[in-house]
Amino acid sequence: MLQTWKRISWKRKTLVILAGLYLLYVLLGFLVAPGLVQRNAVEILADLTGREVVIEEVKINPLTLSAKVNGFAIKDEQTEVLAAFESLYVNFQLSSLFRWTWYFDQVAMDGLTVRARRNPGSEFNFDDILAHIEAQSEAEPEPETDPAAPGSDAALPSVAVGELVLTNGDLRYTEAAGKEPHELILPIGFDINNFSTVAKDKDANDYAIRLEGPDGGAFEWAGHFEFSPFVANGRLLVERVDLVSLAKLSQEQVRFTVPSGELDLEAEYAFSETPEPRLQLSQGRLTLRNVALQKPGEEAPSVLLPGIEVSGIGVDTQAQTVSVPEVMVNKPEISAVLEQTGVDLATLFLPPDEEKADQFKEQVKEKAQQAAERIVEAETLWKVTLDKVDVKGSTLKFSDRTLSPAQTVALTEGQFTLTNLVVGEEAPFQWQGSGKVAGEGALTHSGEGNLAPLNISSKASVTGLPLATFSPWLEREMPLSIAAGVLSIDADANVAGEAPDVTVAASANMQGLNLLENGQPLLKANKTRLQGLNVSTVTQQVQIDEIGLTGLDLVSQIDSQGRDLATRLETDNAGTASGSGSAGTEDADPWQVGIKRVRFIGSQVRHEDLTLTPNFRIGLYQLSGLISNLNSRPGSRANLNMQAQVDRYAPFTIKGEIAAQPLYSDLTVSLKNYEMTSLTPYTGLYLGYQVEKGQLGVESGVNIENNLLQSKSDIRADQFYLGEKVESDEAVKVPIKLGLSVLRSRAGEIHLPVTMSGELDDPNFSVAGMILKVLTNIVVKAATAPFSVLAGLAGGENLENIAFTPGSATVGPDTAGSLAALANVLNEKTELQIGLIGTTSAADRRALAEQVIGEAVAGDDWAGIEQALENTSQRRKLKRRYESVSEQKVEALLNEPLPEDDEAADKQLARAAWDSLLALEAGAISKDQLIELARLRSENAKAQLVGELGIAQSRIYLNESTLDGDVAGLTLTLGK
């Protein structure tokens, strides 16, 4: 062998050596290298990831410079593998030695799977690998580098791949942070031709990537890219992506599900790294089909979008512009539900966890406020142009489940077009739209304006809006309901400035309003017209030119519990009053409200009081008139001029000025010929009688100023007579009919001038109570003290008692004058009858005793005690009569010494005898004597009235005499 080898030429030896080396290379490549690569790769990757790494097989073909790896996997306890592939084929080209480029003819991978899983607490299944790698990098010292050394800022290595292919791949993501895990599988495959990190050839680095969704959707991404500098362009297409599967991944983060929906997305793009990074999107298209957002537990979706087409989308990151030529929305349906926790649409995108939801709301609120400020100040970083938004056939529903049963109001057949909306640049936009409210009301609206500076003008009109639709919300707040009514509104509005400042000009008409209280009629209005409404937040004013009320029919009722409408509403609404109040607005300037005219035409106001039996009812019919210059400005006074017919026949007017702040009135009120039979409920309650007949007239002036009420009224009741008696515990216990007779004139009229005054801030003061009290007092006084009331007809003389001369029944001059005055009263008060009661008093006993003593002492010559004391004979007789009657000496009457003058002493004794005799004789006057005197007085008085003064004797009757009273003469009584 050795000799043979020596004989071989060097040329042949060289060939043999090369052949041996080649054979060794082949043997090492086929037999040794695969094992080494497999073991080293597993160790390196396991050390890098901290995970178990599996490579089932490595094949190397040294002849073709290709390698294949089968069964690669990084294990994972939760998803079996974190990353794996079935095979990886790499074919290296020897020509790389001559190209100065690492050139691979083909790199092909089959069966790639990458699996990620998010667990509760936002922990991912690869967190441990990241932590392991970070720990390794911290443990190894960083190598020192010289910034000036060559290659410190080296370019990308020169690598080229003829074909880069991925087949049968998939990406798997498992969302396990919620109650139930949801897995999304996206098949993936791509083919990149002529990949190169340095090539400038237009055919190099072309690529095509395709992902297929689990339910037929597809993702295609094709294009071209270059390195150094990096440039990329191409086309991105997403078709029929099933949003149901995608939504399951985030259903634990929001409060809705997506039961249906597909997405198409398409765009051409171009990216360049120099001179500055720039991304451009063009010909973008976004399509949504049958997208539904549904709240769990609901039968129908909250949001249903049958079709949305956004076309022509363009984005330029360098110019910072976004352009959208057209957005088409077809038949969207949005349903909002109000529950005790609020409107569900406002919470659909919030996390289910309340604490996280609150944090999210604050973040959104802050960002929205910042964005709004930038828009207003025209400082947005990007310019966004929306050429046209067209919405057709929209439906908006609002359901209120806080009502029982729940109620729904819908805006249907909605049409909306918005054009030229630009954010970030001053440009006018326009819109117009229409729809139907509650199935019948026709809505149209339009407008134009700018976002920066903010200036928007709009017009809106609603016709034929059925008000009964909104009755359930009114019924919840108070015992009122809307049975009928149609509303039409025309409004112009402008919003401008930073505040912003809002101005509104509007008019409204309402037809056939029918408002009920607990199912009973309360308010009807054939036609209500509001003209010239102007609202301004700048001046804080609300001005109305005119409110016209035609055919108003208002029922004011006091129920059987004594509650008026305001009290009933306050009582029934007490349990539903919210605690929102007006906190924080106490120092705010008040708004000024002004109404130039309130006009009433053909209206009526009816009042009924169910606390009375029978019920009291009164009405103002054919009510017409004008209230002008109503204004909330302090000191402003309104003019009032109203006319009506009380109960359809009695003329009623009220005129004057009124003011609310401070409270002021200067009114003149007039009522004529009101039939008083309607007042029976009140007369029965307070007077104890029904009204037989009568007509009432009132002329009154009412003044309120500085919280002081002053009123002067002229009340006239013509032919006012009471009828049958009514049992009432509250009725006055006086002869009320007699009192009315006293007040009634010869013509049958009762005239009562009434003056009232009172402090309105006195809690015990009541206008109605004062009127009733004054009138009752007058009638009661007429019944209980009639002669004081009649004194005016008697020249101011109180005729309750008529005096006679003591001891006499003769009608003297004074008595005759009093009887004449009485005759005047009787002639005026033709219904009255007079009772004459003859009376005596102590003065009569004294006078009769004087007559007896005088007869005994001087006979017909008696001229009185003073004359008798001057007569010696009469003094002697007085002393003797005393001593005879008393059987005592007259000197015993005196306890003091007599005067020295004999005549004076005699007069003193005679005076003492007279006084004692007078007392003795007065006590001795008999009852019969007094009765006779009283009888003669009443008879003589009647004779005078009948015979001399012409009073019908039937109107004068004699009553039983009264003895030893206070009156020496007559006491009068009244009857009818």
Side-chain angles (χ1 to χ4, degrees):
M1 278 297 287
L2 183 61
Q3 293 298 324
T4 303
W5 174 254
K6 290 180 178 181
R7 289 194 297 265
I8 298 175
S9 66
W10 285 106
K11 187 174 184 180
R12 294 184 62 186
K13 287 181 180 179
T14 301
L15 291 175
V16 171
I17 292 172
L18 291 175
L21 291 174
Y22 180 73
L23 179 61
L24 179 61
Y25 159 74
V26 171
L27 292 175
L28 290 174
F30 275 109
L31 301 177
V32 178
L36 292 175
V37 170
Q38 180 178 2
R39 286 192 299 273
N40 289 333
V42 168
E43 291 177 0
I44 293 171
L45 291 175
D47 182 63
L48 176 65
T49 61
R51 292 283 191 91
E52 178 185 356
V53 176
V54 174
I55 297 178
E56 293 180 355
E57 183 182 27
V58 175
K59 293 181 179 180
I60 297 177
N61 188 337
L63 301 179
T64 60
L65 297 181
S66 64
K68 187 175 184 180
V69 179
N70 296 320
F72 170 81
I74 299 175
K75 295 293 186 177
D76 186 85
E77 294 181 354
Q78 302 177 40
T79 59
E80 295 185 0
V81 296
L82 178 65
F85 56 79
E86 293 182 5
S87 66
L88 171 63
Y89 174 78
V90 179
N91 185 359
F92 181 71
Q93 293 296 307
L94 192 60
S95 61
S96 299
L97 300 176
F98 309 104
R99 299 185 182 185
W100 300 99
T101 298
W102 295 95
Y103 182 76
F104 297 85
D105 185 57
Q106 183 183 42
V107 176
M109 181 179 290
D110 182 64
L112 173 67
T113 180
V114 178
R115 302 177 183 182
R117 177 185 176 101
R118 191 170 81 101
N119 298 307
S122 293
E123 295 182 355
F124 290 87
N125 62 330
F126 51 79
D127 285 347
D128 61 317
I129 295 180
L130 298 178
H132 182 76
I133 295 174
E134 183 178 358
Q136 284 183 324
S137 62
E138 291 177 354
E140 296 178 0
E142 294 184 4
E144 295 183 2
T145 59
D146 183 1
S152 60
D153 190 19
L156 289 173
S158 180
V159 178
V161 180
E163 184 181 22
L164 183 62
V165 181
L166 172 64
T167 57
N168 299 319
D170 66 58
L171 302 177
R172 302 189 183 193
Y173 175 74
T174 303
E175 177 58 53
K179 297 179 180 179
E180 296 181 2
H182 299 281
E183 185 178 46
L184 176 67
I185 303 177
L186 296 177
I188 181 174
F190 58 80
D191 187 351
I192 300 176
N193 297 312
N194 299 321
F195 172 84
S196 174
T197 59
V198 295
K200 301 295 183 180
D201 190 344
K202 67 177 182 178
D203 295 328
N205 292 350
D206 292 332
Y207 62 90
I209 300 175
R210 180 178 178 82
L211 298 175
E212 293 184 357
D215 298 303
F219 172 85
E220 293 184 1
W221 186 9
H224 170 82
F225 65 89
E226 300 174 5
F227 294 100
S228 300
F230 183 75
V231 176
N233 55 71
R235 175 175 173 269
L236 181 70
L237 174 64
V238 177
E239 287 185 319
R240 303 188 66 82
V241 174
D242 185 13
L243 299 179
V244 178
S245 299
L246 291 176
K248 289 180 180 180
L249 300 178
S250 60
Q251 73 178 39
E252 299 294 337
Q253 308 302 315
V254 293
R255 302 184 182 186
F256 64 87
T257 61
V258 181
S260 66
E262 288 185 345
L263 167 70
D264 290 353
L265 179 63
E266 181 180 6
E268 294 182 0
Y269 69 91
F271 177 82
S272 59
E273 186 180 21
T274 58
E276 293 181 358
R278 181 182 188 184
L279 173 65
Q280 293 176 288
L281 299 181
S282 60
Q283 301 301 316
R285 178 179 61 85
L286 171 67
T287 303
L288 293 173
R289 290 183 297 274
N290 298 321
V291 176
L293 307 182
Q294 187 164 337
K295 186 178 179 181
E298 295 292 330
E299 296 181 357
S302 298
V303 178
L304 180 60
L305 304 173
I308 295 181
E309 182 82 20
V310 184
S311 57
I313 303 172
V315 179
D316 189 332
T317 60
Q318 187 177 73
Q320 292 186 310
T321 60
V322 177
S323 62
V324 180
E326 187 173 39
V327 177
M328 301 290 292
V329 184
N330 187 40
K331 295 182 179 180
E333 294 185 15
I334 298 177
S335 300
V337 178
L338 176 62
E339 299 175 321
Q340 297 298 335
T341 55
V343 180
D344 63 345
L345 280 184
T347 62
L348 284 181
F349 293 90
L350 295 178
D353 182 84
E354 292 298 333
E355 183 176 351
K356 293 181 179 179
D358 291 338
Q359 295 175 355
F360 182 79
K361 285 189 288 186
E362 289 300 322
Q363 294 172 359
V364 171
K365 181 179 179 181
E366 182 178 352
K367 292 179 180 179
Q369 184 175 356
Q370 294 173 353
E373 291 174 354
R374 287 196 297 269
I375 291 175
V376 171
E377 297 173 1
E379 294 181 353
T380 53
L381 300 178
W382 284 66
K383 174 185 174 183
V384 180
T385 302
L386 185 58
D387 292 339
K388 182 179 180 181
V389 176
D390 199 357
V391 182
K392 296 181 179 180
S394 65
T395 298
L396 304 176
K397 295 181 180 179
F398 173 75
S399 299
D400 191 343
R401 293 182 182 172
T402 64
L403 296 174
S404 181
Q407 299 293 324
T408 299
V409 178
L411 172 65
T412 57
E413 302 179 20
Q415 308 290 330
F416 178 77
T417 301
L418 173 67
T419 57
N420 197 40
L421 178 64
V422 179
V423 178
E425 182 178 282
E426 183 175 350
F429 63 88
Q430 302 82 33
W431 86 85
Q432 61 182 7
S434 63
K436 276 193 175 182
V437 182
E440 299 179 23
L443 168 67
T444 60
H445 56 95
S446 61
E448 61 182 9
N450 295 308
L451 291 178
L454 182 63
N455 189 348
I456 301 174
S457 298
S458 65
K459 295 179 179 292
S461 174
V462 177
T463 58
L465 180 64
L467 295 178
T469 303
F470 306 96
S471 181
W473 284 273
L474 178 63
E475 294 172 28
R476 177 176 60 186
E477 301 301 325
M478 53 189 66
L480 302 179
S481 60
I482 304 175
V486 177
L487 177 66
S488 298
I489 300 175
D490 290 301
D492 294 346
N494 180 263
V495 181
E498 296 181 3
D501 300 326
V502 181
T503 58
V504 178
S507 62
N509 285 280
M510 187 163 49
Q511 304 282 344
L513 176 65
N514 186 3
L515 187 63
L516 307 179
E517 180 193 4
N518 290 321
Q520 299 300 316
L522 174 64
L523 174 66
K524 292 182 179 179
N526 293 339
K527 183 177 180 181
T528 302
R529 184 183 69 256
L530 186 149
Q531 292 181 318
L533 169 65
N534 290 279
V535 180
S536 173
T537 61
V538 179
T539 60
Q540 291 188 309
Q541 288 185 339
V542 178
Q543 297 292 330
I544 301 174
D545 287 342
E546 182 169 305
I547 298 176
L549 299 169
T550 301
L552 174 70
D553 183 3
L554 173 64
V555 178
S556 170
Q557 183 189 85
I558 298 177
D559 63 18
S560 57
Q561 301 177 46
R563 303 178 302 171
D564 60 10
L565 176 63
T567 304
R568 292 194 298 272
L569 295 183
E570 181 180 355
T571 301
D572 293 332
N573 196 35
T576 60
S578 66
S580 59
S582 57
T585 63
E586 295 179 359
D587 297 331
D589 293 332
W591 277 61
Q592 180 183 327
V593 180
I595 305 175
K596 292 182 179 179
R597 296 176 299 277
V598 179
R599 192 181 303 276
F600 295 85
I601 302 174
S603 299
Q604 61 188 35
V605 177
R606 296 174 289 157
H607 174 75
E608 56 185 9
D609 189 341
L610 304 185
T611 63
L612 301 175
T613 303
N615 300 150
F616 173 69
R617 290 180 172 84
I618 190 172
L620 294 177
Y621 295 86
Q622 300 176 35
L623 176 64
S624 62
L626 189 68
I627 303 175
S628 58
N629 196 34
L630 280 169
N631 201 298
S632 63
R633 183 177 64 249
S636 176
R637 296 179 180 179
N639 296 311
L640 178 67
N641 188 349
M642 304 288 290
Q643 305 84 37
Q645 300 287 327
V646 177
D647 288 351
R648 296 187 177 88
Y649 57 82
F652 171 83
T653 61
I654 180 169
K655 300 178 181 179
E657 291 184 329
I658 56 175
Q661 185 181 5
L663 183 61
Y664 171 85
S665 74
D666 186 8
L667 299 174
T668 300
V669 182
S670 175
L671 172 65
K672 297 179 180 179
N673 305 326
Y674 174 64
E675 290 295 338
M676 299 181 71
T677 51
S678 299
L679 298 176
T680 285
Y682 286 107
T683 61
L685 179 64
Y686 297 112
L687 302 182
Y689 291 92
Q690 296 181 2
V691 177
E692 181 179 298
K693 63 177 181 177
Q695 290 187 345
L696 178 66
V698 178
E699 299 291 336
S700 181
V702 181
N703 180 269
I704 299 176
E705 192 167 10
N706 298 324
N707 261 0
L708 176 65
L709 168 69
Q710 293 181 318
S711 172
K712 291 184 178 181
S713 301
D714 186 7
I715 301 175
R716 296 180 182 270
D718 188 25
Q719 305 300 321
F720 176 36
Y721 290 90
L722 296 177
E724 296 181 5
K725 187 172 181 60
V726 175
E727 294 297 329
S728 172
D729 294 336
E730 297 187 44
V732 293
K733 308 303 180 184
V734 297
I736 200 69
K737 289 187 176 182
L738 174 61
L740 294 177
S741 297
V742 170
L743 296 172
R744 193 177 294 114
S745 70
R746 178 188 297 182
E749 185 180 78
I750 296 175
H751 177 210
L752 300 177
V754 177
T755 300
M756 296 184 300
S757 65
E759 296 285 347
L760 295 181
D761 53 7
D762 183 352
N764 297 319
F765 178 79
S766 166
V767 175
M770 174 166 281
I771 294 173
L772 182 61
K773 181 179 180 181
V774 169
L775 295 177
T776 302
N777 287 345
I778 292 174
V779 176
V780 169
K781 183 177 181 181
T784 57
F787 291 102
S788 64
V789 177
L790 296 172
L793 297 176
E797 182 179 355
N798 189 337
L799 297 178
E800 187 172 1
N801 297 303
I802 297 178
F804 275 65
T805 301
S808 172
T810 301
V811 178
D814 292 340
T815 303
S818 296
L819 291 175
L822 176 59
N824 288 336
V825 171
L826 292 175
N827 287 329
E828 179 66 25
K829 308 293 185 181
T830 57
E831 299 175 3
L832 291 181
Q833 295 177 344
I834 295 294
L836 302 179
I837 302 175
T839 62
T840 63
S841 66
D844 286 314
R845 283 184 176 273
R846 185 181 180 87
L848 290 175
E850 184 177 350
Q851 293 174 16
V852 172
I853 297 171
E855 179 68 24
V857 171
D860 293 338
D861 297 331
W862 178 257
I865 184 59
E866 298 303 327
Q867 287 77 9
L869 291 178
E870 299 299 327
N871 187 297
T872 303
S873 174
Q874 293 181 13
R875 290 199 301 269
R876 184 174 60 251
K877 290 180 180 181
L878 282 173
K879 291 186 291 183
R880 287 178 180 176
R881 183 172 177 80
Y882 171 74
E883 290 176 349
S884 174
V885 173
S886 65
E887 297 180 352
Q888 292 182 2
K889 289 294 186 180
V890 70
E891 289 79 4
L893 293 173
L894 299 176
N895 295 324
E896 57 185 22
L898 291 171
E900 293 181 0
D901 182 71
D902 291 341
E903 185 176 2
D906 190 50
K907 287 182 179 180
Q908 188 171 352
L909 289 172
R911 169 69 73 179
W914 166 260
D915 291 338
S916 296
L917 280 172
L918 197 59
L920 292 172
E921 293 294 344
I925 299 299
S926 67
K927 180 180 180 181
D928 291 339
Q929 289 177 286
L930 296 175
I931 291 175
E932 180 64 15
L933 175 62
R935 184 185 63 78
L936 288 173
R937 285 174 171 171
S938 60
E939 288 179 353
N940 292 340
K942 180 173 182 178
Q944 179 80 6
L945 289 168
V946 174
E948 298 294 332
L949 300 174
I951 304 301
Q953 66 86 23
S954 61
R955 297 181 62 194
I956 302 172
Y957 54 91
L958 305 181
N959 288 347
E960 185 178 356
S961 301
T962 300
L963 307 181
D964 295 325
D966 296 328
V967 178
L970 294 173
T971 297
L972 275 60
T973 62
L974 292 181
K976 67 178 294 293

